Amino acid sequence: MTADRLPVHSPRLNMAALAPEVYKAMIRLDASVRHGIDPTILHLVKIRASQINHCAFCLDMHTKDALAAGETTERVVQLSAWEESKHFYTAKEAAALELTEAVTVLTDGFVPDEVYARAAKEFDDTELAHLIAAITVINAWNRFGVTTRMVAGEYQPG
């Protein structure tokens, strides 16, 4: 750590150690959604939900994973303003990002029919089911991360 940076906060508790069966179940659930969704879209969804939920640990992990998998820095940087920079993404990716926001920010109400329809136009039913599951799983991980104050910065891909 450089001298001018603020100190690293301490995590509140270790979910993996204190609730190992829950943690293992989450890992299995997370692994199961990967089989039905394009890896590039999965990375984008995980990063975008983590941005919305302010989960620094997940942002650290998923941006590093995306970059290691070949995602461009430009597209990762633009994710927080993807609606203003749609030209960086495909129609399918934009539909996934829009659905991610609608599912993540449920305080605005139900997932709008138009948002769901745009996603359903880009994804077949099986892909859409996996996308919804992936969005749900990353939101659960984000809630673990922000509640337990998991520390960002030390994750290494692979």
Side-chain angles (χ1 to χ4, degrees), residues 72 74-75 78 85-90 93:
T72 67
E74 188 172 55
R75 283 171 33 106
Q78 290 299 319
S85 8
K86 285 183 182 177
H87 59 282
F88 287 103
Y89 308 100
T90 66
E93 291 167 344

Side-chain angles (χ1 to χ4, degrees), residues 21 61 79 105 126-127 131 146 148:
E21 292 308 311
M61 173 186 285
L79 266 176
V105 188
T126 301
E127 290 175 313
L131 176 60
V146 298
T148 65

Side-chain angles (χ1 to χ4, degrees), residues 6-154:
L6 295 172
V8 175
H9 68 270
S10 297
R12 290 181 174 149
L13 55 84
N14 183 335
M15 285 291 292
L18 297 169
E21 292 308 311
V22 171
Y23 200 81
K24 289 175 194 171
M26 282 294 296
I27 290 171
R28 288 189 305 272
L29 183 60
D30 189 67
S32 71
V33 300
R34 291 184 201 159
H35 298 292
I37 188 168
D38 177 274
T40 300
I41 290 175
L42 184 59
H43 288 303
L44 296 174
V45 163
K46 286 181 175 185
I47 295 167
R48 186 64 191 125
S50 299
Q51 289 173 333
I52 295 166
N53 290 320
H54 305 283
C55 185
F57 180 85
C58 292
L59 276 170
D60 181 53
M61 173 186 285
H62 299 304
T63 55
K64 288 176 179 175
D65 283 346
L67 293 168
E71 185 55 81
T72 67
T73 302
E74 188 172 55
R75 283 171 33 106
V76 170
V77 168
Q78 290 299 319
L79 266 176
S80 63
W82 72 270
E83 287 180 295
E84 294 293 324
S85 8
K86 285 183 182 177
H87 59 282
F88 287 103
Y89 308 100
T90 66
K92 193 169 190 172
E93 291 167 344
L97 292 169
E98 186 178 30
L99 186 62
T100 298
E101 290 188 1
V103 172
T104 300
V105 188
L106 289 175
T107 54
D108 291 345
F110 296 104
V111 173
D113 289 339
E114 317 79 63
V115 171
Y116 186 87
R118 279 190 286 277
K121 180 181 172 201
E122 296 294 334
F123 295 88
D124 67 34
D125 288 348
T126 301
E127 290 175 313
L128 189 55
H130 280 89
L131 176 60
I132 293 166
I135 295 166
T136 302
V137 171
I138 189 56
N139 273 281
W141 279 122
N142 290 164
R143 277 138 181 83
F144 284 163
V146 298
T147 304
T148 65
R149 296 192 73 208
M150 294 174 74
V151 178
E154 295 184 14

